[in-house]
Amino acid sequence: MKSENNTIDSSVEFGCNTIIKDNVQIEENVKIGNNVIIYSDVIIKKDSIIQDFVVLGKKPFSTKGTGGAQVLNTENQVTIIGSESIISTNSVIYSDVIIGCSVIVAEMAVVREGVKIGNEVTIGKHSIIEYGVEVSNNTKINAHVLIGEKMRIGSNTFIGPNVSTACDTYMNANKLSELTPPKIGDNVRIGENTTLHPGVIINDNAKIGAGCLIISDVREGTTVIQAESRNIGKL
């Protein structure tokens, strides 16, 4: 468990088989579960809970497509878990991620490198937050949601289960610069099983019903239901 240049408060509780690499800081009253791996350059703020089989600060693997390992420099980048946050069992948090205070990352969620998550955000189980995403405060992302690369999601927004976001207009982009991610504003409500096409903007206070296919922008305060979702540009 011991490595170099670590600062670990004496109040920290560890489970069994925890592996900690170099340059790790763990503040007071943090609880670490069993079989946790904490890579280098990770900071865990006070009163947080890291459950069993969690991986923190994982370095990106090499990819040929739009993978962040190809285009994002995460060397020596710090991963921060804010105070009073919970990282649940089997979740993986990559390097260069900043997670705010009182955040819940549910079971088997994946947060890729370069992501910034605000305070009091919930990430549902089995959800994937891709490279370079930003999620603002008080937003809830439910289970089995895919948030695509470089997306921006506003505050006080609700994203229902099984929502999918497409960022690749070409369906095989070779560079992140070729992506056109959707953007979701503040106080938005998106129902389950909705799909957002590349480049669409969901403006503030919009509501989207379950099962919609969103292919063009949704104006501020607009409510969209499934029958009209393919024609929202005409509303």
Side-chain angles (χ1 to χ4, degrees):
M1 188 176 76
K2 269 193 170 180
S3 290
E4 298 180 358
N5 302 318
N6 291 336
T7 303
I8 300 175
D9 190 84
S10 60
S11 64
V12 175
E13 298 180 15
F14 289 101
C16 301
N17 303 317
T18 297
I19 298 173
I20 300 178
K21 301 293 186 178
D22 301 332
N23 302 315
V24 171
Q25 299 178 38
I26 307 178
E27 296 184 354
E28 60 266 29
N29 301 318
V30 169
K31 296 180 180 179
I32 310 287
N34 301 312
N35 301 294
V36 171
I37 301 176
I38 304 175
Y39 285 92
S40 300
D41 305 307
V42 171
I43 299 172
I44 305 174
K45 299 288 189 177
K46 64 181 181 180
D47 300 313
S48 288
I49 298 173
I50 312 299
Q51 295 184 348
D52 298 344
F53 295 99
V54 165
V55 178
L56 297 179
K58 180 178 173 66
K59 305 304 179 184
F61 49 84
S62 178
T63 58
K64 291 184 177 180
T66 60
Q70 187 178 356
V71 295
L72 293 177
N73 179 15
T74 59
E75 199 68 29
N76 300 318
Q77 297 294 321
V78 175
T79 297
I80 301 175
I81 309 298
S83 61
E84 300 182 345
S85 292
I86 300 173
I87 311 298
S88 301
T89 303
N90 286 305
S91 293
V92 179
I93 311 295
Y94 277 73
S95 61
D96 192 27
V97 168
I98 298 176
I99 291 178
C101 301
S102 302
V103 170
I104 298 174
V105 178
E107 292 85 350
M108 299 185 183
V110 176
V111 180
R112 292 304 304 251
E113 56 268 29
V115 169
K116 294 179 174 59
I117 296 175
N119 301 322
E120 299 184 2
V121 170
T122 299
I123 308 295
K125 62 182 180 180
H126 294 275
S127 288
I128 300 174
I129 312 298
E130 287 286 8
Y131 318 99
V133 169
E134 293 185 11
V135 182
S136 296
N137 298 338
N138 301 305
T139 282
K140 182 173 183 178
I141 298 171
N142 275 267
H144 301 276
V145 172
L146 172 61
I147 301 298
E149 294 94 336
K150 301 199 301 181
M151 281 188 61
R152 301 293 179 264
I153 300 174
S155 59
N156 301 307
T157 284
F158 175 92
I159 300 176
N162 301 303
V163 168
S164 182
T165 60
C167 296
D168 182 358
T169 304
Y170 305 99
M171 293 193 290
N172 193 20
N174 291 317
K175 300 177 183 177
L176 277 177
S177 60
E178 296 177 355
L179 300 179
T180 54
K183 182 178 179 180
I184 301 172
D186 299 333
N187 303 306
V188 171
R189 301 290 180 266
I190 300 178
E192 62 187 66
N193 297 311
T194 290
T195 299
L196 305 184
H197 269 216
V200 300
I201 298 174
I202 312 301
N203 285 286
D204 297 349
N205 302 303
K207 294 182 176 65
I208 299 173
C212 289
L213 174 65
I214 304 300
I215 62 175
S216 57
D217 295 353
V218 178
R219 294 194 300 269
E220 182 174 354
T222 300
T223 297
V224 177
I225 60 174
Q226 185 175 10
E228 58 194 13
S229 62
R230 294 175 183 269
N231 297 303
I232 55 176
K234 301 177 182 178
L235 292 179

